[in-house]
């Protein structure tokens, strides 16, 4: 169906929904335009715009249709999900078309889902709803307007308090620990509008200014709406419980991997500090000092150098990656012997992060992953 | 200083080698890194360790009218075999023994620049340079014996040259040093004379002979020396090796054979091998059998402490953490292996 470049307002809604006298005809006259002009106008219009009314009606129709479909299929309309709808449609209208996108479909248009598309922001008379519509970014500027109003109010209150007398301020500032400002993309998503970097910077600046005022506790909810809570990383770490073998000695096992080398480590809580790798002494397996230093790092960090006894098996990779894999496995095995705070410090030291670097793929037309063939001028 | 009175009470303690001894007894015997350390610290200190003490006690208790006993020091790389050997040699020479020290038998089976066909025996090969070097060092070590020992036999080198019966050993050695061409044969002659004469008892101007060989596994392994037609030379075809093997056979009395295994200089052997069976091979094991094995291991806790304190005392460890925190790290990184420890501390 070809949309004309004029206002997309269904004809009947003018008569039924708005109790205003019939406005002058705002629909453009169907000029006799050639197809070439048509196409140009189409391009200039931009994405399609729908009114709030229209979107709501579509969603309503979809929901009613969903209930009908549930009844047809004999299922409970309340718990009829999109998956069930797809299944039912595929059952009722079997199609032999190869392209999945050409088959019959019953879904809400993705633009009509809440928060995706801006419905038409002006009424039948062409007058926009929001007073800041002509700025172009109405939600952003209205947000800034509200924030500035709060800032001014807080400043006024502060002046009032000061004039009453230097009362000791026992209002605590809003705690910002454990949360961060919304990113530009997240803010755009919230406002359903595109913002420039400069706008985003100004917004953050303004919020910081609001926070710097002493009486901002009342605006806590407002501010929290624009901050995102960060999860505590270390709570994600699964610590296996300690196991005990026959003699009552505590031990734990762990795996580690780095770059193609895999290894398993069994740490025992004995007195000696001897470590055997693949049956050989670690001094003979890693003649290079650098590898032994890698092995030493977890122990040295937690000051448990002579405490553990290790039995490791390692395979694959080269000497450096084997050492890295062993280090990771040892750190993981030690977790069960440690307290929460130590686990957190290990995580921050980077001992528990597996190293994601692997060999980069060689590309065609180049000699290696990055190296190009010798460039010849002619 | 401590000379002959070292006992188990002194385990782990250092004793100083007098500088004069260093030059006479060990012109060529000490490991290279140890020589550098001696030069740096301006003194040579050796730690008294269990293997060396064990060897010395065996030597004290041995009966020298019986055939020579063979002792073999073996252990992991860098655990102190050569140093124990040197300690024993020092003991022997302070006791008045004649020490026949071959610092590294591996040097005789590889990288030979000149190879001459032997004049004495046509199928064998001579190594003049190595032989003359060794004779020179032998002369420095055993000065006092050179005039005392008289030859039992007449040796003819060429049509014009010969050494008469009854002339002192020193003359023979000098001739070997000057006439480089026949030095390998001179070595053989010296060894034979010493073997024969060591059997005598002390009253009749005899002496005890200590044969100390470092890297004895090279005598039965392969060589990297090639003949002119690029075929490899077997160890038996080298005069020096041949004569040495005769020394090791326990058909002579009045002395002891102390040997060390060494993987570091050995050819065609895996680096993880350190046991006698692996390094000597079938042939070598049969020739050395029976022998007394003496294992040499890494430092024990006490020995490690002693070594660490020695380095601290000499201000070798300059890092501010060396006193306390660094010690555990060093223990871990070196696993108490003497050579690794020494290399680690070299840059601290």
């Amino acid at each position: 169906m070809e949309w004309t470049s004029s206002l997309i307002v269904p004809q009947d809604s003018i008569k039924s929904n708005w109790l205003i006298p019939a406005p002058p005809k705002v629909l453009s006259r169907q000029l006799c335009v050639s197809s070439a002009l048509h196409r140009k106008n189409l391009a200039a219009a931009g994405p399609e715009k729908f009114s709030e009314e229209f979107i709501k009606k579509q969603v309503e129709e979809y929901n009613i249709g969903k209930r009908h479909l549930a009844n047809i299929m004999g299922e409970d309309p309340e718990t009829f999900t999109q998956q069930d709808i797809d299944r039912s449609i595929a059952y009722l209208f079997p199609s032999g078309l190869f392209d999945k996108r050409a088959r019959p479909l019953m879904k809400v248009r993705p633009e009509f889902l809440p928060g995706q598309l801006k419905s038409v922001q002006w009424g039948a008379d062409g007058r926009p709803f929001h007073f800041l519509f002509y700025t172009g970014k109405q939600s952003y500027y209205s947000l800034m307007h509200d924030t500035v109003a709060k800032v001014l109010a807080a400043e006024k209150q502060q002046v009032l308090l000061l004039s009453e007398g230097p009362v000791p301020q026992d209002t605590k500032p809003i705690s910002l620990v454990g949360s961060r400002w919304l990113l530009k993309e997240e803010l755009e998503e919230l406002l359903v509008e595109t913002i420039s970097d400069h706008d985003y910077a100004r917004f953050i600046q303004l919020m910081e200014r609001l926070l710097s005022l002493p009486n901002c506790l009342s605006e806590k909810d407002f501010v929290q709406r624009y901050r995102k809570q960060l999860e505590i990383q270390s709570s994600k770490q699964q610590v296996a419980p300690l196991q005990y073998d026959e003699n009552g000695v505590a031990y734990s096992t762990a795996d580690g991997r780095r770059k193609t080398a895999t290894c398993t480590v069994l740490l025992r809580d004995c007195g000696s500090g001897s470590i055997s790798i693949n049956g050989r002494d670690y001094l003979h397996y890693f003649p290079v000092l650098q590898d032994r230093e890698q092995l030493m790092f977890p122990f040295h960090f937690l000051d448990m150098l002579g405490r553990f006894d290790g039995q490791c098996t390692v395979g694959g990779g080269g000497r450096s990656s084997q050492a890295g894999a062993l280090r990771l496995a040892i750190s993981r095995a030690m977790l069960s012997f440690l307290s929460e705070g130590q686990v957190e410090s290990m995580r921050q030291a980077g001992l528990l992060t597996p190293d994601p670097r692997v060999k980069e793929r060689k590309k065609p037309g180049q000699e290696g992953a990055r190296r190009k063939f010798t460039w010849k001028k002619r | 200083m401590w000379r002959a009175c070292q006992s188990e009470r002194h385990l782990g303690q250092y004793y100083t080698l007098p500088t004069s001894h260093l030059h006479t007894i060990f012109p060529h015997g000490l490991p290279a890194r140890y020589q550098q350390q001696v030069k740096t610290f301006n003194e040579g200190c050796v730690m008294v360790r269990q293997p060396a003490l064990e060897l010395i006690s065996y030597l004290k208790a041995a009966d020298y009218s019986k055939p020579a006993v063979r002792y073999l020091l073996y252990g992991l790389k860098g655990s102190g075999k050569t140093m124990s050997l040197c300690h024993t040699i020092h003991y022997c020479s302070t006791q008045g023994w004649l020490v026949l020290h071959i610092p590294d038998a591996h040097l005789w089976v590889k990288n030979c620049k000149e190879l001459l066909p032997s004049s004495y025996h046509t199928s064998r090969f001579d190594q003049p340079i190595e032989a003359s070097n060794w004779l020179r060092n032998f002369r420095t070590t055993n000065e006092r014996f050179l005039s005392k020992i008289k030859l039992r036999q007449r040796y003819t080198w060429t049509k014009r040259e010969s050494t008469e019966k009854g002339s002192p050993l020193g003359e023979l050695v000098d001739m070997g040093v000057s006439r480089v061409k026949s030095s390998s044969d001179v070595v053989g002659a010296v060894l034979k004379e010493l073997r024969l004469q060591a059997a005598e008892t002390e009253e009749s101007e005899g002496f005890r002979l200590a044969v100390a060989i470092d890297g004895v596994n090279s005598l039965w392994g392969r060589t990297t020396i090639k003949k002119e037609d690029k075929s490899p030379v077997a160890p038996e075809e080298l005069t020096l090796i041949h004569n040495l093997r005769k020394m090791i056979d326990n058909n002579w009395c009045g002395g002891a054979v102390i040997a060390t295994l060494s993987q570091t200089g050995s050819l065609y052997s895996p680096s993880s091998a350190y046991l006698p069976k692996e390094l000597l091979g079938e042939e070598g094991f049969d020739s050395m059998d029976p022998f007394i094995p003496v294992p040499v291991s890494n430092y024990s806790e006490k020995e490690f402490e002693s070594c660490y304190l020695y380095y601290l005392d000499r201000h070798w460890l300059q890092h501010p953490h060396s006193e306390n925190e660094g010690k555990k790290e060093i223990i871990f990184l070196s696993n108490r292996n003497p050579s690794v420890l020494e290399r680690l501390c070299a840059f601290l």
Side-chain angles (χ1 to χ4, degrees):
Chain A
M1 216 181 10
E2 226 191 74
W3 297 98
T4 57
S5 58
S6 54
L7 290 171
I8 317 298
V9 176
Q11 281 270 25
D12 29 313
S13 64
I14 303 173
K15 294 179 193 141
S16 52
N17 294 341
W18 289 315
L19 301 174
I20 29 173
K25 280 247 164 74
V26 285
L27 291 175
S28 65
R29 291 163 290 147
Q30 292 289 347
L31 305 166
C32 306
V33 287
S34 63
S35 49
L37 258 177
H38 258 271
R39 258 180 272 127
K40 224 182 351 184
N41 288 338
L42 266 178
E48 305 178 76
K49 293 205 189 309
F50 304 97
S51 71
E52 194 70 48
E53 240 353 272
F54 182 72
I55 294 175
K56 260 197 259 179
K57 201 168 116 187
Q58 294 292 314
V59 173
E60 261 309 305
E61 280 181 4
Y62 166 77
N63 283 326
I64 293 171
K66 192 164 108 170
R67 295 186 77 92
H68 278 310
L69 187 59
N71 280 330
I72 291 171
M73 297 301 289
E75 301 200 21
D76 184 16
E78 307 297 329
T79 56
F80 206 57
T81 60
Q82 182 60 46
Q83 261 187 333
D84 299 326
I85 295 177
D86 293 334
R87 196 171 28 90
S88 322
I89 296 289
Y91 171 70
L92 291 170
F93 304 100
S95 152
L97 296 173
F98 289 120
D99 193 355
K100 300 261 187 332
R101 291 174 297 181
R103 294 183 186 175
L105 177 69
M106 184 169 161
K107 256 190 190 152
V108 182
R109 270 177 88 153
E111 301 98 69
F112 289 177
L113 289 170
Q116 294 294 330
L117 182 77
K118 269 230 158 109
S119 49
V120 158
Q121 302 285 318
W122 51 89
D125 51 353
R127 209 164 155 260
F129 298 129
H130 202 281
F131 72 103
L132 288 175
F133 173 76
Y134 286 111
T135 58
K137 304 177 245 188
Q138 64 179 44
S139 345
Y140 169 73
Y141 280 112
S142 77
L143 171 62
M144 294 291 273
H145 184 77
D146 295 331
T147 321
V148 166
K150 290 194 195 303
V151 165
L152 290 174
E155 281 176 353
K156 206 158 138 191
Q157 198 189 12
Q158 190 187 20
V159 164
L160 269 172
L161 282 174
L162 276 175
S163 64
E164 277 164 23
V167 180
Q169 303 287 342
D170 45 4
T171 48
K172 284 174 284 188
I174 303 175
S175 79
L176 299 173
V177 174
S179 61
R180 60 165 172 85
W181 289 117
L182 284 186
L183 294 175
K184 180 168 162 257
E185 288 78 20
E186 288 165 352
L187 191 60
E188 279 184 358
E189 217 180 324
L190 194 69
L191 300 174
V192 197
E193 246 175 19
T194 41
I195 318 172
S196 76
D197 287 329
H198 182 251
D199 295 334
Y200 176 69
R202 294 290 283 183
F203 170 66
I204 298 292
Q205 220 175 12
L206 189 61
M207 295 298 252
E208 295 285 339
R209 185 166 157 212
L210 177 61
L211 287 174
S212 68
L213 295 169
N215 312 320
C216 54
L217 209 62
S218 38
E219 275 90 44
K220 189 171 166 193
D221 299 320
F222 175 72
V223 170
Q224 291 290 15
R225 238 188 293 156
Y226 297 101
R227 282 193 81 92
K228 190 166 174 185
Q229 291 297 116
L230 297 166
E231 304 166 18
I232 306 171
Q233 285 288 335
S234 63
S235 55
K236 288 196 213 152
Q237 202 69 249
Q238 297 131 340
V239 177
L242 262 187
Q243 292 154 298
Y244 291 86
D245 67 353
E246 310 91 44
N247 303 341
V249 176
Y251 74 94
S252 75
T253 46
D255 291 336
R257 231 197 296 204
R258 164 110 208 265
K259 221 196 198 182
T260 355
T262 48
C263 70
T264 46
V265 158
L266 183 95
L267 273 187
R268 259 191 268 260
D269 195 359
C270 326
S272 70
S274 64
I275 301 183
S276 70
I277 306 182
N278 285 359
R280 292 169 66 184
D281 198 27
Y282 68 104
L283 194 67
H284 291 277
Y285 195 78
F286 287 132
V288 181
L289 184 69
Q290 177 193 344
D291 304 332
R292 272 176 279 141
E293 276 182 357
Q294 287 285 302
L295 277 193
M296 188 176 80
F297 185 18
F299 297 117
H300 180 57
F301 187 74
L302 297 162
D303 233 350
M304 300 182 175
L305 266 175
R307 193 170 137 187
F308 291 99
D309 195 34
Q311 246 176 292
C312 327
T313 44
V314 78
R319 88 166 189 207
S320 208
S321 37
Q322 279 183 348
L326 275 172
R327 180 182 110 178
L328 181 62
I330 288 174
S331 323
R332 284 189 185 156
M334 293 224 287
L335 284 180
S336 31
F337 293 98
L338 303 174
S339 67
E340 284 286 330
Q342 282 173 315
V343 166
E344 180 60 27
S345 63
M346 279 249 274
R347 184 193 70 83
Q348 287 189 350
L351 276 168
L352 302 173
T353 341
D355 201 331
R357 299 178 286 180
V358 278
K359 197 159 171 178
E360 205 176 301
R361 181 212 141 166
K362 175 200 176 309
K363 284 108 194 169
Q366 292 177 1
E367 199 173 304
R370 297 285 172 101
R371 161 128 175 91
K372 324 277 184 278
F373 289 121
T374 319
W375 178 75
K376 297 234 169 61
K377 199 160 180 180
R378 49 187 72 83
Chain B
M1 287 200 228
W2 296 90
R3 304 288 164 90
C5 42
Q6 289 153 7
S7 63
E8 267 149 41
R9 285 179 296 129
H10 307 306
L11 259 182
Q13 294 182 15
Y14 274 84
Y15 81 98
T16 330
L17 292 171
T19 343
S20 53
H21 282 201
L22 270 176
H23 289 306
T24 39
I25 310 179
F26 298 118
H28 56 171
L30 297 168
R33 281 200 81 97
Y34 184 71
Q35 277 173 353
Q36 286 172 344
Q37 188 183 311
V38 166
K39 201 163 131 195
T40 319
F41 291 166
N42 239 356
E43 59 173 14
C45 280
V46 178
M47 196 202 284
V48 174
R49 287 187 77 192
Q50 175 55 34
L53 277 184
E54 209 181 304
L55 253 185
I56 292 173
S57 62
Y58 290 154
L59 287 172
K60 280 191 210 171
D63 186 359
Y64 291 105
S65 52
K66 303 253 176 59
V69 191
R70 293 174 293 195
Y71 307 94
L72 191 63
L73 286 160
Y74 69 96
L76 291 167
K77 198 158 93 162
S79 50
K81 305 182 278 286
T82 315
M83 285 308 292
S84 303
L85 187 71
C86 293
H87 185 166
T88 326
I89 290 170
H90 184 243
Y91 167 76
C92 294
S93 57
T94 46
Q95 294 292 306
W97 292 34
L98 199 154
V99 171
L100 208 75
H101 183 41
I102 291 130
D104 196 358
H106 292 299
L107 294 174
W108 289 359
V109 297
K110 52 182 178 177
N111 300 339
C112 181
K113 294 199 180 61
E114 274 183 30
L115 202 66
L116 299 173
S118 168
S119 47
Y120 188 64
H121 205 275
T122 30
S123 65
R124 291 205 217 126
F125 293 94
D126 269 0
Q127 286 152 298
I129 313 174
E130 280 97 10
S132 53
N133 273 339
W134 185 79
L135 279 172
R136 211 169 301 135
N137 289 326
F138 175 72
R139 189 170 53 185
T140 341
T141 319
N142 300 305
E143 288 282 357
R144 48 204 166 130
F145 288 102
L146 293 178
S147 41
K148 279 203 269 176
I149 303 175
K150 305 278 184 263
L151 298 177
R152 296 284 170 79
Q153 207 192 319
R154 186 201 150 95
Y155 294 99
T156 330
W157 307 117
T158 56
K159 276 186 237 146
R160 266 167 283 163
E161 285 179 31
S162 64
T163 324
E164 296 301 323
K165 186 169 159 179
S167 51
L169 195 64
E171 210 184 289
L172 190 62
V173 175
D174 288 328
M175 220 221 65
V177 172
S178 47
R179 293 249 179 280
V180 182
K181 256 195 175 162
S182 40
S183 45
S184 320
D185 294 324
V186 169
V187 171
V190 163
L191 292 179
K192 192 159 126 192
E193 285 296 317
L194 291 172
R195 213 168 44 230
L196 291 172
Q197 298 201 13
E200 286 151 34
T201 51
E202 286 212 2
E203 289 85 39
S204 60
E205 286 193 21
F207 54 88
R208 302 245 184 97
L209 182 63
V211 182
I213 309 178
D214 203 342
V216 79
N217 46 326
S218 62
L219 297 185
W220 293 282
R222 290 153 67 182
T223 66
T224 40
I225 311 178
K226 291 203 185 18
K227 295 182 238 183
E228 270 132 16
D229 53 354
K230 306 280 172 102
S231 59
V233 173
E236 301 85 40
E237 292 178 24
L238 291 167
T239 338
L240 290 170
I241 308 291
H242 182 83
N243 293 323
L244 255 188
R245 283 202 198 172
K246 282 199 252 175
M247 283 306 281
I248 297 184
D249 286 336
N250 55 351
N251 48 10
W252 53 278
C253 320
V257 177
I258 316 162
T260 4
L261 288 179
S262 171
Q263 197 280 325
T264 335
S266 75
L267 302 157
Y268 304 105
S269 67
S271 61
S272 52
Y274 71 99
L275 296 168
K277 195 78 188 266
E278 295 162 352
L279 281 175
L280 285 175
E282 286 291 335
E283 204 192 322
F285 199 79
D286 294 328
S287 330
M288 283 294 283
D289 211 16
F291 62 89
I292 300 180
V294 182
V296 182
S297 59
N298 290 336
Y299 282 153
S300 67
E301 303 226 359
K302 191 172 156 203
E303 287 172 346
F304 179 82
E305 291 286 333
S306 155
C307 182
Y308 201 77
L309 284 169
Y310 175 64
Y311 284 142
L312 277 175
D313 180 52
R314 287 274 158 272
H315 300 294
W316 190 231
L317 300 167
Q318 289 291 325
H319 199 269
H321 281 184
S322 317
E323 302 280 322
N324 308 309
E325 301 104 342
K327 204 193 227 174
K328 286 199 195 158
E329 292 178 42
I330 293 179
I331 296 182
F332 187 94
L333 283 177
S334 65
N335 207 21
R336 295 209 197 89
N337 186 297
S339 73
V340 175
L341 173 66
E342 199 262 315
R343 267 163 230 263
L344 249 189
C345 298
F347 50 80
L348 277 179

